[in-house]
Amino acid sequence: MIIKIGTVSIPKTAALAPLAGVADRAFREICRSLGAAYTVGEMTSSKGLTYQNKKTADLLTLGPSEHPGGIQLFGDDPLTMARAAEMSMAYEPDIIDINMGCPAPKITGNGDGSALMRSPALAARIIEAAVRAVNIPVSVKFRLGWDADSINAVEFAKMAESSGAAFVTVHGRTRMQMYSGTADWDKIAEVVNAVRIPVIGNGDVFSGTDAAALAAKTGCAGIMAARGAQGNPFLFAEIRAALRGEDYVPPSARARLDAALRHISEYIAAHGDGAFADMRKHIAWYTKGMYGSTELRRRVNNCGSTAELSELVRRFRDEVSD
């Protein structure tokens, strides 16, 4: 099955969410190699891009295996968003996604992310500006609303559609919920039934079973996994099997650790040896639940170089029992 979005075709399995500080290019490419149908770069400030912030180039660069792939921009000014969308074309994305769902206080405090769900008229102008600026599909990612008393996902999706969005991704929580409680898939289904453009469902996808249940419950065109993929890029192979009704054999502990070692190698190749500390959280996720992982994490948190980090994980892999 294929999701057709303009000239872009995406296999109907699962996509990796643009997780800030997590979904770096190395991790995205690993997820693609294990079955992710679509990946989106970490959210990038439209202002930072237009001001030529040096960090934005890394956030916007897609790997060779990331096509079709998207980049994500955030901001609250239509003119700046249009300029940023135009500038981002230098990085050859297939899709530009606009973040209107991030709940982080440092983002919403500036009127960005999910704060825009409280200003749909402004959000419409931002989407329209981005759509006019580029000749590739523009999508929008948002939540159910700001809080339980202001759920407006259906109205927001209709606005995005009428503003030119090619598709939308809906996280089944409000901004005030952050990541607590349970994602409301019924509300995602309401969005699916309210618009003609494809709707990607997002929230509480931690297994292939979850993905199949989300698809069945909502009728969504596609699925986006976020926290469930942390330390588990194999999730996408599991989801693909579940959606196709195929058997799935979970990876061994050694296979998971091989993926961690690949992640370390590719991340350092992209960011330099001094970035090894960024991998500590990933190693904690890759080794979660493994016997002896508590001691490994202690050593990883105290190590002082990429070589030492890699050696610790390699030794752990060689000693682990599958």
Side-chain angles (χ1 to χ4, degrees):
M1 296 290 289
I2 297 291
I3 305 171
K4 190 73 174 175
I5 301 165
T7 58
V8 179
S9 296
I10 300 174
K12 193 174 181 179
T13 53
L16 173 67
L19 294 162
V22 176
D24 57 84
R25 180 164 34 124
F27 185 61
R28 297 196 308 267
E29 291 203 89
I30 291 171
C31 289
R32 292 298 283 258
S33 71
L34 292 170
Y38 172 63
T39 44
V40 188
E42 299 170 79
M43 67 176 184
T44 302
S45 166
S46 57
K47 291 179 182 177
L49 177 55
T50 58
Y51 294 159
Q52 299 184 327
N53 185 300
K54 293 181 180 180
K55 294 181 179 179
T56 59
D58 183 59
L59 295 173
L60 293 169
T61 300
L62 301 179
S65 67
E66 286 195 87
H67 295 281
I71 58 98
Q72 189 184 69
L73 301 174
F74 73 90
D76 64 348
D77 178 68
L79 291 177
T80 303
M81 183 63 73
R83 178 61 179 147
E86 185 179 17
M87 291 176 68
S88 72
M89 293 299 292
Y91 298 90
E92 301 183 343
D94 300 291
I95 292 170
I96 292 176
D97 186 63
I98 302 176
N99 185 316
M100 295 186 174
C102 179
K106 67 179 181 180
I107 300 297
T108 60
N110 291 322
D112 303 326
S114 56
L116 286 165
M117 296 202 72
R118 297 193 290 183
S119 303
L122 174 58
R125 294 199 300 274
I126 290 170
I127 297 167
E128 290 166 358
V131 170
R132 285 196 301 269
V134 298
N135 61 358
I136 61 173
V138 172
S139 62
V140 186
K141 190 173 189 294
F142 55 91
R143 288 188 164 226
L144 299 184
W146 181 258
D147 57 27
D149 295 324
S150 58
I151 291 176
N152 61 341
V154 167
E155 295 78 12
F156 205 81
K158 289 180 178 179
M159 173 277 296
E161 180 179 38
S162 64
S163 299
F167 69 97
V168 296
T169 302
V170 184
H171 181 102
R173 289 181 174 83
T174 66
R175 185 273 171 183
M176 295 305 290
Q177 281 183 280
M178 299 294 282
Y179 299 99
S180 65
T182 303
D184 191 336
W185 292 352
D186 287 325
K187 292 290 192 301
I188 296 176
E190 291 178 12
V191 174
V192 171
N193 293 326
V195 296
R196 295 181 300 277
I197 57 176
V199 176
I200 309 300
N202 173 227
D204 291 351
V205 177
F206 295 95
S207 68
T209 300
D210 292 337
L214 173 58
K217 181 85 169 179
T218 66
C220 59
I223 292 159
M224 182 168 278
R227 290 174 297 153
Q230 292 177 172
N232 183 26
F234 300 92
L235 174 64
F236 298 98
E238 182 181 351
I239 290 173
R240 182 174 57 191
L243 294 177
R244 294 176 178 177
E246 300 170 351
D247 292 332
Y248 174 72
V249 179
S252 66
R254 290 188 181 184
R256 289 164 59 189
L257 291 163
D258 281 337
L261 287 166
R262 174 185 170 187
H263 194 169
I264 294 170
S265 176
E266 294 185 8
Y267 188 82
I268 296 306
H271 300 282
D273 193 66
F276 76 92
D278 296 338
M279 287 301 305
R280 289 169 176 165
K281 60 180 180 289
H282 288 282
I283 300 307
W285 291 325
Y286 277 110
T287 60
K288 184 178 180 180
M290 293 183 189
Y291 180 79
S293 61
T294 300
E295 176 60 19
L296 172 67
R297 287 193 293 273
R298 186 190 68 77
R299 294 182 179 182
V300 163
N301 288 335
N302 289 310
C303 74
S305 68
T306 300
E308 185 180 359
L309 173 65
S310 297
E311 182 59 25
L312 285 169
V313 176
R314 192 173 293 109
R315 264 188 279 148
F316 186 74
R317 178 203 60 190
D318 293 342
E319 295 171 0
V320 76
S321 175
D322 287 336

